[in-house]
Amino acid sequence: MSFNKLKGKMVEKEMSQEKLAKELGITVQTLNSKLNSRTQFTLAEVVRITDILEISDPKEIFFDSNIPNMQQ
């Protein structure tokens, strides 16, 4: 997982952690924990973030590149 890419996409879209957390219906602390790999994003959160930030290929952000494509 490459949350640096996610953070970069947030900057690109001018989306603060506070704003994204509100869009997801979670606290800023919870989002921060997920962005720093202390907890995991749910599938619903991944789908919502993909929509909000207009991410065309979420695999490069949310999936480990060592996992074969057929398992993603």
Side-chain angles (χ1 to χ4, degrees), residues 22-65:
K22 187 174 183 176
E23 290 280 337
L24 294 172
I26 60 177
T27 67
V28 175
Q29 292 82 2
T30 299
L31 178 59
N32 186 273
S33 179
K34 292 172 187 255
L35 288 172
N36 290 299
S37 299
R38 290 189 297 271
T39 58
Q40 295 182 350
F41 285 99
T42 66
L43 181 57
E45 290 166 343
V46 170
V47 170
R48 185 76 180 118
I49 291 169
T50 299
D51 290 341
I52 293 167
L53 297 178
E54 300 173 352
I55 297 170
S56 59
D57 188 8
K59 289 187 297 184
E60 66 183 29
I61 294 174
F62 295 102
F63 293 97
D64 189 337
S65 60

Side-chain angles (χ1 to χ4, degrees), residues 13 19 42 45 69:
K13 296 292 183 176
K19 196 172 177 183
T42 66
E45 290 166 343
N69 283 338

